[in-house]
Amino acid sequence: MSTLFRSSVVLWLAPFVGAALSLAFAPFNWWPLGILCPAFLFLAWREASPRRAARLGFLFTAGTYLAGTYWLYYSIHGIGKAPIWLTLFVMFAMVAILSSYTAFVGYAMARWLGPASASPPSPMLRYLAVFPAAWVILEWFRGWFLSGFPWLAVGYTHLDTPLAGLAPIGGVYTMSLAVALCAGAAALLVIGPGRARIAAAAVMSGIWIAGFALDELVWTAPSGAPATVAIVQGAIPQDRKWSEEYRDSTIRLYYDLTAPYLGKDIIVWPEAALPVLAHEAMLYLEPLSAAAHARGSRLVAGLVRYESDNDEYYNGVVALDHQPQWYYKRRLVPFGEFFPVPSFIRNWLKLMNLPYSDLTAGQDRQPALKVKNQKLGATICYEDAYASEQLEVLKEATLLVNVTNDAWFGDSTAAHQHLQISRMRALEAGRPLLRAANDGVSAIIGADGRVEVALPRFRPGVLTGVVQPRTGLTPYARVGNFPVVTLCTAALLLSFAPLLSRRVRRRRAASEPVVGP
């Protein structure tokens, strides 16, 4: 085994094993790969030199993101019409940046904590503390640095296993820690001595037993009467969405789909549902809203809003209750909704998602939308991947709503991965989540993270159901990522403590004056 992981074969295998990790996520859900693939990387790092460990980390992560986010090619080239060379440049640049983080972690682990270091930790400590902690800090860092890309965190791979019981306790990164600990334990079972293997088996068993026990707990309580809901899915192809030729037919489609369901408490339309700005859309929405009010319904719709006072555009959600209430998207998509590049190359990169200028991000803290005696915690598109940014609104929200347009990615894994993320948010919050997607997957997700009912993709339709609003805060909603990040940081600092202490002693010794005879 040691000979294999020291050979050049492992360098060739690393991107393929990394790619296999993407199969642990939706729609494949081969969750054992979420443990086995990181275990491979931990074993490959075991006796690697710093440079080799960096290469292994880079190749592994490159395989994961090339396989797991291949759908970016369709959105940038197929829909955005960017040249192939530019599409590949943007994709490979993103993958290279994300992979460089893992390369740095691999280098640091081998350079200062590897077998060749001055005081390497024991195999038990490396596999059951150092490597899992480093993995979680890496995922957390990747989720916010340079605007962040919190996609494909391994905690999502176990949403349908007993480890899901950890989500309300500490969120997706606590689940990632559990998965990484299982990966370290699996690696230790392969190469560890007898006592280390016993410890590895105990850790893995303890994690799963804890998951089983916690999975039965309910952290939030019903609040008021159940609410009837209708989620409208227009299934408008992205290449038609902003076309003048199809504008009237799109508006008519949403009107016709909605009218039979007036009387439901809450009716939800997806992101930027109508291909017009909000002030134009109100010409069509006011009669529909009036009819909805007369039947006891309230409409919640994704629209693009232009504010002439400051000449800014917002990707928003409007709740048409007694007075219109707005939520503005806070996490904008780089190169889709804003363009962090010089103006002279924007024409090359700007996609057709919104045929206007850059959008403006909404304020960090926005109140819940008050709709039919409920308070909706809203998110737009992929910003529901930023779990900790929704914690503030959970103090008042009784339901969650995510409006999105995954038509950008065609018939790919992207929509299924995004649904998986939405399910995690519902489970972390202990709230039902209403998910309105332009071409799917539109779904009603229970407070336990399970999909109660969903619409088929690429078909216009209306999804109806009954949801129970809930109040109260899960442990994660109270404290966020702080405990798991602090725990993992402390584990790493304690691992590096002997090295730092030795350097301090050397500096003190070097600074002491030499005393002659």
Side-chain angles (χ1 to χ4, degrees), residues 45 50 53-54 57-58 99-110 112 138:
W45 276 346
F58 185 94
S99 301
S100 67
Y101 304 159
T102 315
F104 173 79
V105 169
Y107 181 92
M109 295 295 101
W112 292 292
L138 172 64

Side-chain angles (χ1 to χ4, degrees), residues 372-392:
K372 198 69 183 296
N373 299 320
Q374 302 301 329
K375 294 183 178 180
L376 309 184
T379 54
I380 301 175
C381 192
Y382 90 133
E383 69 176 351
D384 65 343
Y386 297 86
S388 61
E389 295 187 5
Q390 301 175 47
L391 299 182
E392 187 65 27

Side-chain angles (χ1 to χ4, degrees), residues 327-328 330 362-368 389 391-393 395-396:
Y327 167 83
Y328 294 141
R330 295 170 291 169
Q363 296 180 356
D364 288 339
R365 293 191 175 185
Q366 300 180 54
E389 295 187 5
L391 299 182
E392 187 65 27
V393 78
K395 297 175 181 178
E396 56 175 329

